[in-house]
Amino acid sequence: MSAGIYILANDVVFDHLVALLNSLEVNGAKDIPVCIIPYDDNLKKVQVEIATRPHVTLFENTESIIFWEHFATQVWKTHAKAQKVWQAKGWTPVHCLEMHRKFCCFDGHFDKFIYFDADTLLMGSLDYIYQKLDKFDWVANDFQYKSDLNYVFDLSSPKLAEIFNFGKLHSHIFCAGWFAAKKGILNRNNSNQLLENLISGEAEILSLRGTDQPLFNYLVARSGISFYNFAYHQSAGVTGNHWSSKFDVRDYVLYDKGRRLTYLHYMSISAAKINQLCAGEDVEIPYRDVFLHYRYLNSPETRPKLAPPNLLVRLQRNLKAWVIQKLNNVQFKLRNFWDR
């Protein structure tokens, strides 16, 4: 079976993409083919970069893109709450429609694949992920299940309890920014039945805290395909992956209490901030030196020399760090109080 990697990207996240591609090459995925799914037509820099990397290609199945965008549009247009909220904000009828192009993974060339959001860095081997796909159709490796279900499903909807078993559902939610699956497990046949369920009223259970993520979680849970989450089943031996965690850095690789991370996800850090950093502005992001190392791995001479921040900026950062520390201390004390 062929194995590969998909990434959703365009020129807006070009700096992210280059850093990710470089991290793939040096941290265990050098020989794994990569396919870039276009977020939109803003791809000039992406196409130039692809031309320099023989193992990287561009997803060009326009029929697949059209199908999945149409699928998502039909779903969200029947979601009354979404339409009301998005219209009030002046947004398009389907917010972030392009994010649903991730579904094109199921129509690609790879028999089994791992999907990466562009704002990710590979830290370690992916072999164990691909091996798990020999037994399961869908594999995750995140701690989304510890978060509020409301990030994925609308808990105020009475239909939710009618459709899903809450006990099982909580253990099956995942972050749609990184996952592994097999070609065709979501396809024209089973998606048609799932679409009928959604437009007949089940769409209302989808949370508005995302667009593609609630829909991904619904389709995986509703279709009943086999699912495995390393973080849930092997929580004691699985590392974190979100930038907000405290990791140790050794030779530009991150470790969680001595265990090497598989990947680091810069989720919720804007592309604009990354672009400012790569343009030479003194922008603070977590593990900044790690990101810059991978971004300019093949062209260290172009790495920006960041000017040191002035006194006012340093004071503001110190104050922010102090406030965050105090808030964390308060949250810790409250958790201890309620856990008694």
Side-chain angles (χ1 to χ4, degrees), residues 20 44 66 75 185 223 257 326 338:
L20 171 55
K44 289 183 179 179
I66 292 170
V75 172
I185 57 168
S223 61
K257 298 177 182 178
K326 292 296 182 183
W338 289 113

Side-chain angles (χ1 to χ4, degrees), residues 80-93:
K81 183 184 291 187
Q83 292 305 304
K84 181 179 180 180
V85 171
W86 294 345
Q87 185 177 12
K89 292 183 177 182
W91 292 353
T92 57

Side-chain angles (χ1 to χ4, degrees), residues 92-305:
T92 57
V94 183
H95 183 52
C96 294
L97 175 62
E98 297 85 353
M99 292 296 291
H100 296 84
R101 292 188 176 193
K102 295 178 184 181
F103 287 98
C104 293
C105 293
F106 304 106
D107 297 325
H109 297 298
F110 308 132
D111 295 315
K112 52 184 180 180
F113 62 84
I114 301 175
Y115 170 82
F116 285 78
D117 271 354
D119 57 344
T120 311
L121 296 175
L122 182 68
M123 292 284 120
S125 172
L126 297 168
D127 290 347
Y128 75 104
I129 303 293
Y130 287 116
Q131 290 168 7
K132 189 60 70 173
L133 282 175
D134 292 334
K135 295 183 178 180
F136 295 89
D137 290 327
W138 198 282
V139 176
N141 190 25
D142 65 68
F143 292 87
Q144 185 75 40
Y145 71 90
K146 289 190 174 183
S147 303
D148 188 345
L149 262 177
N150 216 35
Y151 280 97
V152 176
F153 296 110
D154 186 349
L155 299 182
S156 67
S157 169
K159 284 185 178 290
L160 185 59
E162 299 174 8
I163 299 169
F164 293 123
N165 177 296
F166 271 94
K168 182 179 179 181
L169 187 63
H170 210 283
S171 66
H172 276 59
I173 64 172
F174 60 92
C175 173
W178 192 99
F179 60 87
K182 295 177 182 176
K183 178 180 179 178
I185 57 168
L186 292 176
N187 54 62
R188 303 295 188 272
N189 292 329
N190 60 18
S191 64
N192 284 336
Q193 181 57 57
L194 292 165
L195 178 61
E196 288 183 19
N197 295 337
L198 284 160
I199 63 178
S200 66
E202 292 189 9
E204 74 171 49
I205 73 171
L206 303 180
S207 171
L208 297 190
R209 295 193 180 188
T211 50
D212 63 292
Q213 180 158 295
L215 188 52
F216 262 113
N217 275 267
Y218 169 90
L219 294 177
V220 171
R222 195 73 167 96
S223 61
I225 61 178
S226 55
F227 177 89
Y228 187 89
N229 185 351
F230 283 94
Y232 181 82
H233 293 285
Q234 303 178 23
S235 58
V238 175
T239 65
N241 53 61
H242 195 275
W243 57 263
S244 62
S245 300
K246 178 64 177 176
F247 301 123
D248 298 318
V249 182
R250 302 180 208 160
D251 296 327
Y252 303 104
V253 173
L254 301 184
Y255 292 82
D256 184 359
K257 298 177 182 178
R259 299 187 300 269
R260 185 169 180 161
L261 269 65
T262 300
Y263 64 96
L264 176 71
H265 195 181
Y266 279 103
M267 179 174 55
S268 76
I269 294 181
S270 69
K273 202 169 186 177
I274 295 294
N275 295 340
Q276 289 169 345
L277 173 66
C278 293
E281 296 185 34
D282 182 53
V283 177
E284 282 218 332
I285 66 167
Y287 309 104
R288 185 171 73 176
D289 286 343
V290 173
F291 176 82
L292 289 172
H293 168 76
Y294 289 109
R295 169 61 182 88
Y296 297 99
L297 187 68
N298 296 330
S299 56
E301 71 282 358
T302 65
R303 177 170 171 166
K305 292 179 170 35

